[in-house]
Amino acid sequence: MHRLDTFLQRGASLGALAMPALALCLPSGYSYGAAVLLLCALVGWRRYPIWPSDTHGRWLMGAIVAMGFLWFLDIDTQRVSSFEMPAKYTFALLCVGFVATFPPSPRAWIAGVLVGASASGLVAFVQMAAFASKRAHGFTNEIQFGNLSLLLGTMALAIALIHWRRWPWRWRLVAATATVLGCLGSLLSQSRGGWLALVLVLPLCLWLVRDHFNVKRSLGAMAAGVVLLALAAWPFQATLSERFAEAGNEIHAYQTAGDANTSVGQRLAHWRLAWDMGTDQPLLGWGGKTGYEKEKIRRVEAGAYPPVLLNFTHAHNELLDAFAKRGLVGVAGLVLFYAIPLWIFWPTRRRMARCAGEQAHVAELSVRSCAVLLSASYVGFGWTQAFFSHNSGNMFYLFPLIALYGMLQGLRVRGQSAQPPERR
């Protein structure tokens, strides 16, 4: 192999490792792995085709183009910062062909998920216990931190269940610990929208790995994990109990008195505003972020909506936010951005039947499950948060999906294994 090819191959795996591993334990930690991937793509741009030869790669690029186009429409020549998101989507496109030619190692991704989930829980615990933070937030805001921590914990759970029979006890312990700590990070962030998303994500996770674990033993292990999670969170039980109780009180206050000056109240008011704005301009919306803000200000000043809504730049619901800003065109772009990755990575029986042996089957299912959980989790998180309005939301969706696509290509072409050393 050419020396540069070796460098690019290792760089791709390093990027895949760093994406989840550093995501929540460093400022902008979710960007380091993406930067490594992009750097390698630029260095080796002559050694791979920009346009992937396979159908799935082209569809993935199509989804990125559709969402990137919506960001492109938000460009304001008077604001340099408005070029940031379109640029990131453009850079992401450059990486698709690169990872198809130099696929990252699934082992690197799995290690990164286990490290990242563990790190998020430890960061959250330290912030709450040592620095007396009201809510754990890592190096971003509480909602983004808590939801991404939960996503890493869910991925760790899927990985643990898929590999449980084949891994020695030390790897089982690492994966179980990562699952508990990832969930702890979410719990200590007190991000209730993430917990709501579990209604969708947890059953999906268990269904994806249904053929790879013993139900009785796994339910027992998960019960033990819940106990450990409860024990770790016990020092903060008063704060968490108060947070749970607040939700019901805030809903009641909004329904009876129209109080929008609460976390739940302002969301409900935002949803009403976004729906009204979207139905007034259903096809193209109000012209993106700028038009949305101007119309929101006008309606608030007219007394139709509470002033608290002016403190936020999005509607706290991904679909409604897209509907208000870009109408049905924006909704279609967002749905494609969810649906195409789900279609590409969904582990159908026909796809999994093509795997040559149990080891290849386990490896491919790990990659596909992580990608499906990533897309599905974003759907769930989008119920109560406009996740793509934040840099962390875009970066942790775009580049991990690209890396996982590359891993899948590598597994299909070369039969790589995602297994740690077997038990001796």
Side-chain angles (χ1 to χ4, degrees):
M1 180 181 288
H2 192 281
R3 187 173 299 178
L4 178 57
D5 290 354
T6 301
F7 170 81
L8 296 175
Q9 189 73 66
R10 292 176 178 175
S13 293
L14 177 61
L17 170 68
M19 283 179 202
L22 303 181
L24 299 177
C25 61
L26 291 175
S28 298
Y30 41 79
S31 298
Y32 292 104
V36 171
L37 215 60
L38 177 61
L39 177 62
C40 290
L42 293 175
V43 169
W45 68 276
R46 289 187 175 181
R47 305 193 69 82
Y48 64 90
I50 298 296
W51 189 252
S53 60
D54 69 296
T55 302
H56 287 169
R58 294 194 291 268
W59 274 103
L60 180 60
M61 291 185 77
I64 295 171
V65 168
M67 194 67 177
F69 178 71
L70 297 178
W71 283 112
F72 177 81
L73 294 175
D74 272 340
I75 288 180
D76 181 352
T77 55
Q78 303 300 315
R79 292 186 301 111
V80 176
S81 60
S82 68
F83 289 86
E84 182 181 353
M85 285 302 176
K88 287 176 179 175
Y89 277 73
T90 302
F91 292 149
L93 288 172
L94 297 177
C95 296
V96 177
F98 168 71
V99 298
T101 305
F102 300 97
S105 165
R107 293 185 180 185
W109 171 261
I110 288 175
V113 168
L114 300 183
V115 170
S118 301
S120 66
L122 293 174
V123 166
F125 188 86
V126 169
Q127 285 186 334
M128 294 287 286
F131 296 99
S133 296
K134 186 177 180 180
R135 296 173 62 184
H137 54 81
F139 299 92
T140 181
N141 72 54
E142 295 89 346
I143 297 173
Q144 300 296 116
F145 174 82
N147 289 354
L148 291 178
S149 182
L150 182 64
L151 171 57
L152 287 169
T154 307
M155 286 182 177
L157 173 62
I159 290 168
L161 294 176
I162 291 171
H163 293 271
W164 195 263
R165 295 174 182 172
R166 299 174 59 84
W167 277 358
W169 69 267
R170 60 185 179 276
W171 282 100
R172 295 179 184 179
L173 180 61
V174 168
T177 301
T179 300
V180 172
L181 288 175
C183 294
L184 179 65
S186 174
L187 189 61
L188 296 184
S189 76
Q190 301 166 53
S191 177
R192 296 170 299 204
W195 308 338
L196 179 63
L198 272 178
V199 175
L200 167 67
V201 177
L202 185 57
L204 175 61
C205 175
L206 298 178
W207 188 87
L208 287 169
V209 303
R210 64 195 182 281
D211 295 331
H212 286 267
F213 68 98
N214 178 284
V215 174
K216 185 176 181 180
R217 291 179 181 177
S218 298
L219 290 177
M222 283 189 281
V226 171
V227 172
L228 290 174
L229 181 61
L231 290 174
W234 182 255
F236 319 105
Q237 58 89 21
T239 301
L240 294 173
S241 297
E242 180 182 350
R243 182 73 174 164
F244 275 111
E246 279 179 359
N249 295 335
E250 290 171 0
I251 293 173
H252 179 73
Y254 182 79
Q255 290 177 335
T256 57
D259 183 6
N261 294 301
T262 63
S263 177
V264 174
Q266 64 88 8
R267 277 174 168 77
L268 295 174
H270 261 121
W271 297 351
R272 182 168 64 91
L273 168 65
W275 176 255
D276 290 345
M277 289 178 64
T279 52
D280 287 343
Q281 298 280 357
L283 183 59
L284 300 175
W286 289 88
K289 183 178 179 181
T290 301
Y292 170 80
E293 287 296 310
K294 288 180 180 179
E295 178 62 14
K296 179 169 66 172
I297 291 172
R298 187 190 71 78
R299 295 189 185 210
V300 168
E301 289 178 346
Y305 300 92
V308 68
L309 302 191
L310 298 179
N311 297 330
F312 304 89
T313 60
H314 56 78
H316 280 285
N317 179 285
E318 203 76 73
L319 282 170
L320 287 175
D321 192 64
F323 186 41
K325 292 176 179 176
R326 290 294 174 194
L328 294 175
V329 171
V331 171
L334 177 62
V335 169
L336 285 174
F337 206 40
Y338 289 142
I340 288 177
L342 285 171
W343 168 67
I344 290 172
F345 290 103
W346 193 264
T348 64
R349 291 197 177 277
R350 182 177 179 181
R351 288 171 175 175
M352 299 309 299
R354 290 197 292 253
C355 297
E358 183 184 2
Q359 190 175 30
H361 181 91
V362 167
E364 185 162 326
L365 183 61
S366 299
V367 171
R368 289 187 181 277
S369 295
C370 283
V372 168
L373 289 173
L374 176 58
S375 295
S377 294
Y378 267 62
V379 173
F381 299 153
W383 294 342
T384 55
Q385 172 77 332
F387 226 58
F388 290 121
S389 293
H390 299 266
N391 187 48
S392 57
N394 285 278
M395 294 298 290
F396 204 78
Y397 192 79
L398 263 179
F399 288 92
L401 275 180
I402 291 170
L404 288 162
Y405 157 73
M407 293 172 215
L408 196 58
Q409 288 299 104
L411 287 168
R412 302 298 292 172
V413 173
R414 295 196 294 271
Q416 294 175 347
S417 169
Q419 279 290 101
E422 291 292 322
R423 188 174 3 192
R424 301 294 181 184

